[in-house]
Amino acid sequence: VLTTILALSVRKLSQKKVVIRRLGSIENIGNITLIATDKTGTLTENKLALRSVFGSNLKEKKRFSDSEVLILAMLFCNTAEVSTVKGRLVSSGDPLEIALIKFLHNKGIIREKLEKEWVYRKIIPFNSRDKKMSVSLYNRKENFEIFLSKGAPEVIIKDCKWFYDKGKKLLLSQELKEKILARVKEEMSKGYKVLAFSEGGDETVFLGFSTFYDPPRKSVEKALKRAKELGIKTVMITGDSKETALSVG
């Protein structure tokens, strides 16, 4: 009788596109009290899109130029591959980095064209300890080098000593740093991921930050509600900030 009941359960689950290899797994499923789930791609659609770009003066940018250092940081602190094939954009790599390139591509700023002028001298990959990626770029035409970084806002902003305002390099005070971080947290609380950008090594200049949105899956709310009704606790696991996680949760 028990085998028949388990077999019927397997059949019912298969109709919901759930494949069970062993009958005993059905019994284990019945004993579940906690579900630990990833956020990106599980609770969300994993369709990241760049929503907006803010300069170091915290004003949202409406115009973009390929000569801006911020734009160079967005394009070259980036390992994603995006190319045009038969009129379509084909991409591979990290969704955040792809979103950066696609956004600027749609603004008419193409990384492939800039690569004729700028070449990599050094690449320091992102790691979970430093929470940032850095590159050294060399300009072939004018024979100079710049150092650019992108990463977690709290890390990038903490390291910065200067910022640009109307083309002038000004001291980035602690008060202004706190104001920028408050604005970043505000964006995160809306459910946006945030990346910050900087220029320089020892005398680091804050360039600005960008926000990204990854919409929740439509079926998630119903599934979480059903799990709660069944007495199953759900926990979300994510590398995003607390503010972004809470907005989704």
Side-chain angles (χ1 to χ4, degrees):
V1 177
L2 179 59
T3 302
T4 303
I5 293 172
L6 292 175
L8 289 172
S9 299
V10 169
R11 183 184 177 188
K12 190 172 182 180
L13 284 170
S14 68
Q15 292 169 351
K16 297 181 181 293
K17 298 181 179 180
V18 178
V19 178
I20 303 294
R21 294 177 62 189
R22 297 181 179 87
L23 288 179
S25 300
I26 296 293
E27 193 174 353
N28 293 332
I29 290 173
N31 292 326
I32 289 176
T33 57
L34 172 70
I35 297 175
T37 176
D38 179 36
K39 181 180 77 68
T40 304
T42 303
L43 298 180
T44 65
E45 294 181 0
N46 199 23
K47 295 179 180 178
L48 279 163
L50 195 153
R51 177 185 170 274
S52 53
V53 179
F54 294 86
S56 56
N57 57 3
L58 297 186
K59 293 181 180 179
E60 185 174 351
K61 292 181 67 64
K62 300 297 182 182
R63 296 179 180 179
F64 299 85
S65 166
D66 59 15
S67 62
E68 289 182 72
V69 183
L70 172 58
I71 303 308
L72 292 175
M74 292 169 67
L75 286 174
F76 287 97
C77 278
N78 198 316
T79 58
E81 295 293 334
V82 178
S83 58
T84 305
V85 179
K86 296 181 180 179
R88 291 179 63 251
L89 279 179
V90 178
S91 58
S92 63
D94 182 89
L96 277 177
E97 296 186 331
I98 291 171
L100 285 167
I101 296 178
K102 282 186 173 180
F103 177 85
L104 292 173
H105 190 282
N106 292 334
K107 300 289 182 183
I109 300 175
I110 315 300
R111 187 173 67 175
E112 290 173 343
K113 294 180 180 179
L114 290 172
E115 285 174 342
K116 297 175 182 177
E117 181 179 351
W118 294 95
V119 293
Y120 287 107
R121 278 285 177 84
K122 187 178 182 180
I123 299 175
I124 304 173
F126 177 89
N127 64 73
S128 57
R129 184 191 64 189
D130 297 329
K131 294 185 178 180
K132 65 180 180 180
M133 172 190 180
S134 300
V135 299
S136 178
L137 291 178
Y138 173 71
N139 187 289
R140 290 171 172 169
K141 289 184 178 180
E142 300 183 30
N143 191 32
F144 71 94
E145 199 167 325
I146 57 174
F147 191 79
L148 304 170
S149 298
K150 84 152 191 279
E154 66 274 13
V155 172
I156 295 293
I157 294 166
K158 179 184 176 182
D159 291 342
C160 290
K161 296 181 180 179
W162 308 91
F163 75 104
Y164 289 124
D165 188 19
K166 297 178 181 178
K168 294 182 179 180
K169 188 177 175 181
L170 304 173
L171 185 68
L172 184 62
S173 65
Q174 185 59 38
E175 182 182 353
L176 188 51
K177 284 185 179 183
E178 291 173 2
K179 184 178 179 181
I180 295 170
L181 285 170
R183 180 59 185 274
V184 166
K185 285 189 176 182
E186 181 185 332
E187 295 297 319
M188 288 176 172
S189 67
K190 298 173 185 176
Y192 303 134
K193 290 173 176 279
V194 180
L195 275 180
F197 304 88
S198 66
E199 173 196 4
D202 296 329
E203 296 293 312
T204 311
V205 183
F206 175 62
L207 299 174
F209 65 89
S210 56
T211 62
F212 307 80
Y213 186 59
D214 186 11
R217 291 184 183 274
K218 294 178 181 179
S219 59
V220 165
E221 186 176 354
K222 183 179 178 181
L224 293 177
K225 185 178 179 181
R226 180 60 177 155
K228 187 176 181 180
E229 290 172 352
L230 295 171
I232 300 172
K233 183 180 179 181
T234 54
V235 177
M236 180 171 63
I237 300 172
T238 179
D240 288 341
S241 68
K242 180 177 71 175
E243 289 78 13
T244 303
L246 285 172
S247 71
V248 175

